[in-house]
Amino acid sequence: MVDKEPESKEEYDVNKFERPSVTTDVVIFTIKNDDLKVLLIKRGVWPFKDMWALPGGFVGMKESLDDAAKRELCEETGVCNVYLEQLYTFGEPKRDPRTRVITVAYMAVTNQSNIKLRASSDATEVDWYSVYNLPKLGFDHAKIIDYALTRLRYKLEYKPVAFEFLPPKFTLTELQKVYEIVYNKTIDKRNFRKKVNELNVLKDMNETKMEGAHRPAKLYSFIKENFKSVENKWIVFVPF
Amino acid sequence: MVDKEPESKEEYDVNKFERPSVTTDVVIFTIKNDDLKVLLIKRGVWPFKDMWALPGGFVGMKESLDDAAKRELCEETGVCNVYLEQLYTFGEPKRDPRTRVITVAYMAVTNQSNIKLRASSDATEVDWYSVYNLPKLGFDHAKIIDYALTRLRYKLEYKPVAFEFLPPKFTLTELQKVYEIVYNKTIDKRNFRKKVNELNVLKDMNETKMEGAHRPAKLYSFIKENFKSVENKWIVFVPF
DNA sequence: TGAATAGTGTCTTTCAGACAATATGCC
DNA sequence: GGCATATTGTCTGAAAGACACTATTCA
């Protein structure tokens, strides 16, 4: 016996096939205490109860993947309105003990100030951890963070993501520190400034920042419109 | 009334949440008649019946995403055992008129020889189309192909994907043509050979290929083990 | 020997990377 | 003046890019 082929939405049987669950998980980076951190939540429920994991959750039937990632991050951690990009989709059949769960991983970047963490019902604790010193993680989240770090380093080479780590006004030393911390290596100050200058994407704010008994530093802001990724190459310090 | 929190797989209710469908779609590239082509199928069923679309289909509950992409490509088109990499996941709520369908897009590359196309039950026709002259496509598949082409060009800069377009033994002119066709621009022959030579990834097969009344060309093969993407940069002709 | 493609080297320019002294503010 | 960080330019080596002639085969 052969089923009649559906010819419209009304005739289409949505329950014909068994379906997996789809979640989003977000690796959110920030810089705090001169260290690259990711936000983790301590799970309050089975599976991996009491272990740390990435914020994330099920995708609603009527929301886009981007919206789901945004919503989950905001709900679970209080981190809202940040730079977000899709990374990779992890779908090994056994990666979640509950059922078949496919997760669309996202990467986010924010500056540390103005972020007030909050714990949700699913998470007993929320905290920043150094990417170089992670706790034991549930699911395949260690692999996801590893992937996100590779992407972050790669992305910083050719897109102006570094500014997402900084407040709207920043000094050149602060910008350099972002690269140094993400790449975990020191950079020559003169070469750095030479390259940044050639890009013509910074606006001198005619303000200075003083902190300590030394010469104050000029403050700059990033002019997004001036950035041309096709014509100008972006800063490349660590080729992969 | 509050549900008891599940503490094991047995207590977990997989049907608590409504779930989307998940598919894989594959953009497979090849070079044929000096043109970059993608494989399309003419849909035999609703929706988008009689329009062209990417090969793909629903992910099985017990197969990985990579396996699903491989299987669908092989089943629907007869193209099996090829280079495959995950691209991006498209999940706009209205992208499929049947129901909520999230698709994990893949990119594949193969050489044209040895491929015998076959049509499956879902497809009335299977054929190669120039990426520069595509027919009207169903779903958001035009966007997916566009994304794939960008990735392909980018990937060719730093990974040895070009060889996937070629048979095991090839001439330097054939290799150069791959880059010229993918980037849609001409390359200087001497500069190309200089760069390829510096990479030390080719083995002289001590054979020649003759076709026509002119000097025969040497045949080479690619030595995968010699390729070091971290130390050596790969060929970069068209920076993005 | 003419037609067609294979194969080869030099020069110039650009950019990355190494490198150190002066400037400015606070105490 | 001492301390701490900000700011600035030159030189060198490597690699990209422009460019043209000789070699080999067949008809």
Side-chain angles (χ1 to χ4, degrees):
Chain A
M1 199 179 92
V2 178
D3 287 353
K4 176 183 177 299
E5 284 291 349
E7 286 171 14
S8 70
K9 189 168 167 61
E10 287 63 39
E11 292 177 23
Y12 182 80
D13 178 9
V14 295
N15 293 313
K16 195 171 174 185
F17 301 103
E18 202 180 356
R19 276 159 293 157
S21 298
V22 179
T23 61
T24 57
D25 288 315
V26 183
V27 181
I28 175 157
F29 291 106
T30 202
I31 288 175
K32 192 179 164 185
N33 301 331
D34 285 351
D35 197 7
L36 184 61
K37 311 269 190 186
V38 292
L39 194 57
L40 300 175
I41 61 172
K42 194 166 189 176
R43 286 185 60 82
V45 297
W46 179 85
F48 301 105
K49 187 166 195 272
D50 298 327
M51 284 178 78
W52 293 87
L54 293 170
F58 292 95
V59 175
M61 288 300 278
K62 290 182 178 171
E63 65 184 349
S64 72
L65 299 171
D66 288 12
D67 287 345
K70 244 177 263 179
R71 179 182 52 73
E72 290 284 353
L73 183 63
C74 194
E75 282 178 12
E76 290 201 341
T77 68
V79 177
C80 310
N81 293 109
V82 296
Y83 174 85
L84 196 73
E85 78 172 60
Q86 191 190 299
L87 277 181
Y88 195 83
T89 299
F90 297 83
E92 289 302 312
K94 298 283 183 191
R95 59 175 294 284
D96 192 310
R98 289 170 291 193
T99 178
R100 177 70 189 279
V101 179
I102 292 167
T103 192
V104 184
Y106 277 78
M107 175 178 91
V109 177
T110 186
N111 78 76
Q112 170 60 15
S113 51
N114 300 334
I115 295 289
K116 277 183 206 139
L117 299 183
R118 66 161 177 262
S120 76
S121 55
D122 288 351
T124 55
E125 288 179 60
V126 181
D127 210 355
W128 296 102
Y129 275 86
S130 167
V131 294
Y132 303 112
N133 190 202
L134 294 168
K136 208 161 171 66
L137 294 163
F139 307 98
D140 50 4
H141 288 185
K143 193 165 88 178
I144 295 177
I145 291 174
D146 192 58
Y147 187 93
L149 181 56
T150 302
R151 173 77 71 93
L152 175 68
R153 286 174 169 164
Y154 199 39
K155 198 89 184 187
L156 242 64
E157 293 179 21
Y158 64 98
K159 291 282 182 185
V161 179
F163 302 105
E164 304 292 338
F165 284 104
L166 296 169
K169 297 179 190 176
F170 50 85
T171 68
L172 292 178
T173 301
E174 286 168 344
L175 181 60
Q176 180 174 339
K177 269 214 149 192
V178 170
Y179 281 91
E180 291 185 326
I181 289 166
V182 171
Y183 289 127
N184 204 19
K185 68 180 279 200
T186 58
I187 296 166
D188 179 86
K189 192 194 284 191
R190 281 163 297 183
N191 292 338
F192 180 81
R193 284 167 187 240
K194 195 200 313 173
K195 277 197 259 188
V196 169
N197 197 45
E198 283 164 2
L199 294 168
N200 285 110
V201 292
L202 296 189
K203 184 181 175 189
D204 188 338
M205 300 304 283
N206 292 311
E207 295 177 55
T208 54
K209 180 176 186 175
M210 268 187 301
E211 42 175 9
H214 56 80
R215 177 172 175 174
K218 279 187 178 177
L219 282 167
Y220 295 88
S221 67
F222 172 56
I223 311 296
K224 202 174 186 174
E225 305 79 62
N226 283 16
F227 177 75
K228 297 271 182 290
S229 65
V230 180
E231 300 166 37
N232 303 20
K233 275 199 200 172
W234 186 236
I235 298 177
V236 178
F237 294 117
V238 183
F240 275 74
Chain B
M1 198 178 93
V2 178
D3 287 352
K4 177 183 174 300
E5 284 291 350
E7 287 173 11
S8 69
K9 188 168 168 60
E10 288 64 37
E11 292 176 24
Y12 182 80
D13 178 10
V14 294
N15 292 314
K16 194 170 173 187
F17 300 103
E18 204 181 354
R19 277 159 293 157
S21 297
V22 179
T23 62
T24 58
D25 288 316
V26 183
V27 181
I28 176 157
F29 291 107
T30 203
I31 289 175
K32 194 178 162 184
N33 301 333
D34 285 350
D35 197 7
L36 183 62
K37 311 269 190 185
V38 293
L39 193 57
L40 299 175
I41 61 172
K42 194 165 190 176
R43 288 185 58 83
V45 297
W46 179 86
F48 301 104
K49 188 166 194 272
D50 298 326
M51 285 179 78
W52 294 86
L54 293 170
F58 293 94
V59 175
M61 288 301 277
K62 291 182 178 172
E63 66 184 349
S64 72
L65 299 171
D66 288 11
D67 289 344
K70 244 177 263 180
R71 179 183 53 73
E72 290 284 353
L73 183 63
C74 193
E75 281 177 13
E76 290 201 342
T77 68
V79 177
C80 311
N81 294 109
V82 294
Y83 174 84
L84 196 74
E85 77 171 61
Q86 191 190 299
L87 278 181
Y88 195 84
T89 299
F90 296 83
E92 289 302 312
K94 298 282 181 191
R95 58 175 296 283
D96 191 312
R98 290 172 290 193
T99 177
R100 177 71 191 277
V101 178
I102 292 167
T103 192
V104 184
Y106 277 77
M107 174 179 92
V109 177
T110 186
N111 78 76
Q112 169 59 15
S113 51
N114 300 333
I115 295 286
K116 276 182 207 140
L117 299 182
R118 65 160 175 265
S120 76
S121 54
D122 287 352
T124 56
E125 286 180 61
V126 180
D127 211 354
W128 295 103
Y129 275 87
S130 167
V131 294
Y132 303 111
N133 191 201
L134 293 169
K136 208 160 170 67
L137 294 163
F139 305 100
D140 49 3
H141 289 185
K143 193 164 87 174
I144 296 178
I145 291 173
D146 192 59
Y147 187 94
L149 180 57
T150 302
R151 173 78 70 94
L152 175 69
R153 287 174 168 163
Y154 198 40
K155 198 88 184 189
L156 242 66
E157 293 180 21
Y158 64 97
K159 292 282 184 185
V161 179
F163 302 105
E164 305 291 339
F165 284 105
L166 296 170
K169 296 177 189 177
F170 50 85
T171 68
L172 291 178
T173 301
E174 287 169 343
L175 181 60
Q176 181 175 338
K177 269 211 148 199
V178 171
Y179 282 90
E180 291 184 328
I181 290 166
V182 171
Y183 289 126
N184 204 19
K185 68 181 279 198
T186 57
I187 296 166
D188 180 85
K189 191 196 284 192
R190 282 163 297 183
N191 292 339
F192 179 83
R193 285 167 187 239
K194 195 201 311 177
K195 277 198 257 189
V196 169
N197 197 44
E198 283 163 0
L199 293 167
N200 284 111
V201 293
L202 296 189
K203 185 180 174 187
D204 188 339
M205 300 304 281
N206 293 311
E207 295 176 56
T208 55
K209 180 176 187 176
M210 269 187 303
E211 42 174 11
H214 54 81
R215 177 171 175 175
K218 279 187 180 179
L219 283 167
Y220 295 87
S221 67
F222 172 57
I223 312 296
K224 201 173 185 174
E225 305 78 64
N226 284 15
F227 176 75
K228 298 272 181 290
S229 64
V230 180
E231 299 166 36
N232 304 20
K233 273 201 203 174
W234 187 234
I235 298 176
V236 178
F237 293 117
V238 183
F240 276 73

